[in-house]
Amino acid sequence: SSSHEALLAYEKLQQVMADEVGFGLELGLDGNDLLLLNNRSAVHGRVGFRATYDGADRWLQRHSA
């Protein structure tokens, strides 16, 4: 499927970034953690999650200045 191909391409990109550029960082955020990134100086992504809609899901919020 195309989503499987996209995942493989993304994983390959991560590996190339780690090997060739020498940089890669994976963060695990816990509840009440906050991470701010400047989109003009950082390339970032996130892993998917399956929502349970039970009130405990953590949703990402976007802020534009």
Side-chain angles (χ1 to χ4, degrees):
S1 75
S2 62
S3 61
H4 178 70
E5 292 171 358
L7 178 59
L8 290 176
Y10 180 70
E11 289 172 349
K12 178 66 176 174
L13 176 61
Q14 286 180 313
Q15 190 63 51
V16 169
M17 290 294 290
D19 293 344
E20 300 298 324
V21 180
F23 182 78
L25 178 65
E26 185 173 322
L27 299 173
L29 301 179
D30 294 322
N32 298 320
D33 286 348
L34 173 68
L35 175 65
L36 299 174
L37 296 170
N38 181 338
N39 284 333
R40 296 178 184 190
S41 63
V43 176
H44 60 88
R46 66 177 177 88
V47 295
F49 66 94
R50 184 174 307 277
T52 60
Y53 304 103
D54 64 357
D57 291 324
R58 294 172 49 213
W59 297 99
L60 300 174
Q61 300 292 318
R62 180 178 180 180
H63 170 74
S64 296

